[in-house]
Amino acid sequence: MLNVLTLSSLFPDSTRPNFGIFVQRQTAALAMRPGVGVRVVAPIGLPVWPLARSDRFRAQAAMPLREVWRGLDVSRPRFTTLPGTGGRFHVPALIRALVPVLDRLRDERAFDVIDASFFFPDGPAAVALGRRYGVPVSIKARGADIHHWGHMPATRHQVARAAVAADGLLAVSDAMADDIAALGVPRGRVRVHHTGVDQARFQPIDRGEAKAGLGVSGPLILSLGALIPRKGHGVVIDAVARLPGVTLMIVGEGADRTALQARAERLGVADRVRLIGAIPHDELPGLLGAADVMALASASEGLANAWVESLACGTPIVITPAGGAGDVVTSRTAGRITQAEPEAFAVAIRDVLDQAPDPWAVRATVRDFTWPTNAAALHSHLAELVSRNGVGMRC
């Protein structure tokens, strides 16, 4: 029996049901494999008083410290964050919060390996905890955990030291693996571990019928992601302004909402641009299946789950060369990779619309991106770490 302790500060809860849902799906798929036991520790960072009294943090503070979430045993310890410190003290605060929790979990049933599914602050904390409990540690890089925390003055050295000290390293794409290697780790130590997608839920539907249900006639473009500068929604709005008769729906929420709405109004396309906010993940297949193109002008990514989910729905994508773009856009059937510039995006979107690839052919480009495949690779990786480090698996 391989007993895995999954550590992830990126994990959904009742206040943020879509937050890190891909980590939850990966962990659930791993737990379904024969001979694997999984417990999850999903720490929640709360700021010092009085900031913690806001509605958002008060709801998080009120959540149970341990619960069953979608069939998984999840502990949710709280650790204190200090605004204005650039994350410098996140790791020691997290370790202090985790030790008593992991002591209790170890007393219930010892774990063989710690699987940190986000690089910061989870990775450095996992390395310290692995030494405390005498078990190997794997850390996975997903995107912002390296691109942001791995370059911030207050945290970059913590990230680099964790990369060097970890027993195993995973990355969501080839480009992400190169980014880890740039921290001073031999590239051969990093394994690419692609995400999965629920192929039964994300699949082509009747596009015309789905668009009619949304009140859309003509081509529909979907831009999916948090409303923050890094996601480049403004570039897509500018591109759609160059494409008469095209409707754009932007799915997500964030601080840029007002600015994006003003941008659409300034360009005279507010009637063709809909900012529909965040939606439950279960509703995403219907929107992706209705769209003719999913366009995302990200400045940086690891390998966006939205790319894979869109392709599984038969909807080609137009994206930037960010991160693992080349891992998913492997042919013109899947879409186009272009620069984050309005005219380039407009040309690429029009090209895909004119090509109108068969949705089932688009879907076939990501047929290997499944959660069972993802879980099998993770199981093999973690079991190898345990074997290599001479840790006996507990029954």
Side-chain angles (χ1 to χ4, degrees), residues 10 20 38 54 62 94 115 126 158 174 195 213 216 222 244 267 303 326 365 381:
L10 195 67
V38 177
S54 69
L94 180 55
D115 173 30
Q158 297 179 59
D174 281 308
T195 189
V216 174
L222 196 68
L267 293 170
L303 190 151
T365 65
H381 168 72

Side-chain angles (χ1 to χ4, degrees), residues 9-374:
S9 58
L10 195 67
F11 203 86
D13 58 51
S14 58
T15 70
R16 303 167 297 175
N18 289 348
F19 181 68
I21 196 165
F22 43 88
V23 177
Q24 181 250 314
R25 296 287 168 89
Q26 171 179 292
T27 308
L30 177 65
M32 291 180 65
R33 290 190 58 79
V36 178
V38 177
R39 285 168 295 173
V40 179
V41 178
I44 297 171
L46 297 176
V48 293
W49 186 92
L51 295 176
R53 293 176 61 116
S54 69
D55 289 344
R56 171 191 166 194
F57 294 117
R58 188 161 52 240
Q60 290 178 346
M63 287 190 300
L65 292 174
R66 191 172 183 180
E67 63 179 329
V68 175
W69 179 268
R70 306 288 175 88
L72 293 169
D73 177 356
V74 181
S75 298
R76 301 188 188 275
R78 317 308 196 247
F79 69 101
T80 302
T81 61
L82 299 175
T85 62
R88 184 185 309 275
F89 304 109
H90 283 11
V91 172
L94 180 55
I95 293 170
R96 285 194 298 271
L98 290 177
V99 165
V101 175
L102 268 61
D103 280 352
R104 287 194 296 271
L105 293 177
R106 178 200 55 189
D107 290 344
E108 292 175 10
R109 185 177 75 245
F111 42 87
D112 303 306
V113 61
I114 298 176
D115 173 30
S117 61
F118 199 62
F119 226 100
F120 188 87
D122 313 13
V127 167
L129 294 165
R131 289 172 179 162
R132 174 183 174 88
Y133 298 105
V135 298
V137 170
S138 173
I139 310 176
K140 185 168 184 176
R142 296 182 177 275
D145 49 353
I146 295 294
H147 298 150
H148 177 73
W149 299 111
H151 293 87
M152 290 285 287
T155 57
R156 64 186 180 214
H157 295 301
Q158 297 179 59
V159 171
R161 285 195 297 268
V164 171
D167 300 282
L169 295 166
L170 297 173
V172 294
S173 66
D174 281 308
M176 195 78 251
D178 292 339
D179 291 340
I180 297 176
L183 297 174
V185 177
R187 175 62 178 80
R189 286 194 57 216
V190 188
R191 293 186 179 183
V192 175
H193 184 227
H194 284 150
T195 189
V197 63
D198 186 339
Q199 301 270 354
R201 290 179 53 242
F202 289 85
Q203 60 177 296
I205 57 177
D206 187 312
R207 184 168 288 155
E209 183 179 312
K211 277 200 278 192
L214 296 171
V216 174
S217 59
L220 173 62
I221 311 303
L222 196 68
S223 191
L224 177 63
L227 306 187
I228 55 178
R230 180 170 63 84
K231 291 296 183 179
H233 296 297
V235 172
V236 182
I237 292 175
D238 291 355
V240 167
R242 293 164 163 78
L243 298 168
V246 171
T247 297
L248 170 64
M249 298 182 75
I250 301 177
V251 180
E253 199 51 83
D256 276 6
R257 183 184 183 89
T258 300
L260 293 171
Q261 186 65 56
R263 189 179 197 132
E265 292 170 357
R266 185 171 64 251
L267 293 170
V269 293
D271 60 326
R272 295 195 284 121
V273 176
R274 304 183 191 176
L275 283 83
I276 65 174
I279 65 168
H281 191 258
D282 288 345
E283 296 179 13
L284 204 51
L287 277 179
L288 286 169
D292 296 281
V293 177
M294 200 283 284
L296 192 57
S298 307
S300 67
E301 292 283 359
L303 190 151
N305 284 70
W307 300 343
V308 183
E309 290 169 342
S310 180
L311 293 170
C313 288
T315 301
I317 59 179
V318 172
I319 58 177
T320 65
D327 291 23
V328 292
V329 181
T330 53
S331 70
R332 290 177 67 83
T333 299
R336 304 290 185 275
I337 299 174
T338 190
Q339 297 303 311
E341 189 275 323
E343 184 62 27
F345 255 71
V347 169
I349 291 170
R350 173 52 62 194
D351 195 24
V352 174
L353 291 174
D354 289 344
Q355 179 191 4
D358 175 68
W360 291 97
V362 174
R363 174 183 170 81
T365 65
V366 290
R367 60 179 172 268
D368 296 330
F369 287 75
T370 71
W371 288 123
T373 299
N374 170 282

